[in-house]
Structure formats: structure tokens, C-alpha cells
Amino acid sequence: MSNQKNSVGEVQQAIKQGAITREYRADTQRMVQALNRLRSTEIMSYLQYMQHQYMAVSLLSPGLKTEFETHATQELDHANRLAERIQQLGGVPVYDPKEISAKAAAVGVAPEQGATLTEMVAEDLMLERQQIEVYTALIREIGDQDVVTRQMLIGILAETEKHASELADYLKRTADTQ
């Protein structure tokens, strides 16, 4: 670090830009929009998992009821991590329920309520798979333009793939016992 004194203009610019420096290569507006779309899908996933958790009869499947609740908590954590990054990039995390619903629907995500536990698990699996595709595409698109966002998305993607694997395993076990 040089000993030269920064000008008032440079300090004001640094305050305005926060963590975004000239080495940041992504379009911050596009990134904020993409992250808000993902945040919307995570919030919709949270709502779907919680609804399934409420509807799962605990005596029939206490483990599944707990699994739905655990996945819901993780979806909400994903939404919060995305919101923090949106704020760091100078954006505003989406919070309006209508906007959340519209953004999630734009990428094909809408909460569903199956009539049986198997249908609920299948809905959750399909939702997780949709998110895996969206996360993977965005990670590839970002490349090295926004290293921090990319790393965060990779972490969320890994958890999302784990959810999909667990749900698929449940459906395989259910099919094997019928």
C-alpha cells in the first residue's frame, strides 16, 4: 500500500462503491437482478417445504416431516445469503411478496401442494432440480467476473444438489417398498 494520501473524491468514490473495485468485472445491476431471481426461488422453496412439513402427518413419516423442516430452514438461509450479497453489490433484496412470486414464476418456480407424501417429495425434487440448473448456468456465466458471488453460489449449489439427492433417495426407497 502506498503512502500517498487519497483525495477526497477517491474516498467518496470508495464509500459509494464499497467492496466493488475496478477489478470487479460483472455488471452489478445484472448481478443484483439475477441474485434477486434466485432469492425469490429460495423463498418460494422455503414456503413449499414449510407447507409440506405442516401437511406431513408426523405419525406416518416423522423423519420426512423433520426433513421438510430442515430443508426449509436451509432454503431460508440461502435466501438470506443472497440478500447479503445483493446488499454488498449496492442493490436492494427483493421483499415484496408479489415481486417474489413473479420473479420465481419467471424461472418456472411456483409452490405446489401434493396430495400424498410421495407427491410432495416429487414436487420438492423437481423444484431442487430446477434450482440446480439455474445456479449452474449463473455460475458458468459469472466465470471469474465476480469471484465472491461465484463461491457463494457454488456453496448453495452443493447444498441444493444434496437436497435433490436425498429426495431422490427417498423416492427410490418408496418405490422399492411398493
Side-chain angles (χ1 to χ4, degrees), residues 34-146:
L35 296 179
N36 263 324
R37 274 192 306 276
L38 288 173
R39 177 172 157 70
S40 296
T41 69
E42 294 292 352
I43 291 169
M44 296 304 269
S45 296
Y46 165 78
L47 293 172
Q48 180 169 304
Y49 273 121
M50 286 307 292
Q51 181 64 15
H52 289 174
Q53 185 264 150
Y54 298 136
M55 299 307 293
V57 179
S58 58
L59 291 176
L60 291 177
S61 189
L64 197 52
K65 188 174 181 76
T66 302
E67 196 68 27
F68 285 152
E69 189 172 14
T70 299
H71 284 203
T73 302
Q74 291 169 336
E75 301 298 331
L76 194 55
D77 176 62
H78 296 168
N80 289 334
R81 285 164 38 196
L82 290 162
E84 287 174 12
R85 186 61 181 159
I86 290 164
Q87 186 276 326
Q88 288 171 355
L89 294 174
V92 176
V94 63
Y95 66 93
D96 176 59
K98 288 179 186 161
E99 189 178 355
I100 289 168
S101 180
K103 284 184 185 308
V107 292
V109 172
E112 297 187 55
Q113 176 58 61
T116 67
L117 285 173
T118 300
E119 287 175 8
M120 289 182 219
V121 173
E123 291 163 357
D124 293 338
L125 172 60
M126 297 313 290
L127 184 57
E128 295 288 5
R129 288 176 54 82
Q130 253 177 322
Q131 288 181 313
I132 288 167
E133 287 184 3
V134 174
Y135 275 100
T136 301
L138 184 57
I139 289 165
R140 284 191 181 122
E141 181 185 322
I142 292 171
D144 64 356
Q145 297 175 34
D146 180 339

